[in-house]
Amino acid sequence: LCNLCNTQTTFPRYNSVSKILETLSGRCGEYANLMGLFCRALGFTDVRYVLDLTDHVWIEVYSHRLSRYIMVDGCEGQINVPQMYEKGWGKKL
């Protein structure tokens, strides 16, 4: 429930990328699905989903240049900020 306008918005959970692109709405899981699609389209073949059981999902892609996985969070618009959740959000991962 929004405190400013007193309205409630429901975000259905979609796993289909085509449905996410159709509705243009979602939460971190939907953003992770889209970022995974975009990264694969750009040639990153090793893409994996990371689930934080406290409440968040993002992806990691393997960087051959860096020889390691890097985090990519489409919901937050962050790439390769490995301590974002622990330091920025104060999470205990």
Side-chain angles (χ1 to χ4, degrees):
L1 187 61
C2 176
N3 292 330
L4 297 176
C5 64
N6 206 31
T7 60
Q8 183 170 347
T9 302
T10 301
F11 289 101
R13 302 310 300 240
Y14 297 118
N15 287 320
S16 164
V17 172
S18 61
K19 188 66 173 176
I20 298 166
L21 288 170
E22 174 190 325
T23 62
L24 298 177
S25 65
R27 294 179 282 193
C28 60
E30 288 76 22
Y31 281 99
N33 282 336
L34 288 176
M35 284 304 288
L37 171 77
F38 297 152
C39 288
R40 285 184 199 93
L42 290 171
F44 292 95
T45 56
D46 199 354
V47 178
R48 64 186 184 188
Y49 291 89
V50 180
L51 170 63
D52 162 21
L53 293 177
T54 63
D55 72 352
H56 196 54
V57 179
W58 62 93
I59 65 168
E60 291 181 338
V61 298
Y62 189 79
S63 167
H64 291 283
R65 186 174 61 83
L66 298 174
S67 299
R68 65 178 174 84
Y69 281 92
I70 59 172
M71 61 80 71
V72 178
D73 191 325
C75 187
E76 297 296 320
Q78 298 292 319
I79 297 174
N80 200 20
V81 185
Q83 297 296 313
M84 182 180 85
Y85 309 108
E86 294 92 337
K87 291 183 179 176
W89 291 10
K91 296 188 97 174
K92 306 276 189 248
L93 299 179

